């Protein structure tokens, strides 16, 4: 699975965090979620953390999931 790239985030004075992917809005975090995100993004790989928070981490594993015993017809 390729490493996530192209993510960026901006913090705003009102406490919100805007996450973008290739300069397009991906998500906006407010309040407690924004604070948890900022703690996590400084502790780990920022690209991977932003991919997980935006839900983009799921890309690329659909083929693997198709062959899982639970998903076989």
């Amino acid at each position: 699975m390729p490493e996530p790239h192209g993510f960026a985030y901006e913090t705003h004075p009102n406490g919100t965090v805007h996450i973008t992917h290739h300069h397009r809005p991906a998500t906006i975090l407010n309040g407690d979620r924004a604070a948890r995100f900022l703690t996590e993004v400084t502790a780990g790989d920022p690209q991977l953390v932003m991919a997980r928070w935006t839900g983009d981490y799921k890309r690329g594993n659909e083929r693997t999931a198709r062959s899982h015993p639970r998903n076989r017809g």
Side-chain angles (χ1 to χ4, degrees):
M1 185 168 151
E3 291 293 317
H5 65 285
F7 288 97
Y9 72 95
E10 297 176 348
T11 57
H12 294 269
N14 63 358
T16 63
V17 176
H18 294 232
I19 301 176
T20 60
H21 187 242
H22 295 294
H23 306 287
R24 293 183 174 203
T27 192
I28 297 174
L29 304 172
N30 299 305
D32 185 48
R33 292 191 67 207
R36 286 194 331 244
F37 167 78
L38 290 171
T39 301
E40 194 172 325
V41 79
T42 56
D45 176 18
Q47 292 294 305
L48 189 59
V49 171
M50 286 184 275
R52 192 171 54 74
W53 275 79
T54 59
D56 197 40
Y57 69 97
K58 296 178 185 175
R59 305 286 161 77
N61 66 352
E62 291 87 1
R63 189 173 296 151
T64 306
R66 190 178 328 147
S67 63
H68 191 276
R70 163 184 71 230
N71 297 326
R72 290 186 194 151

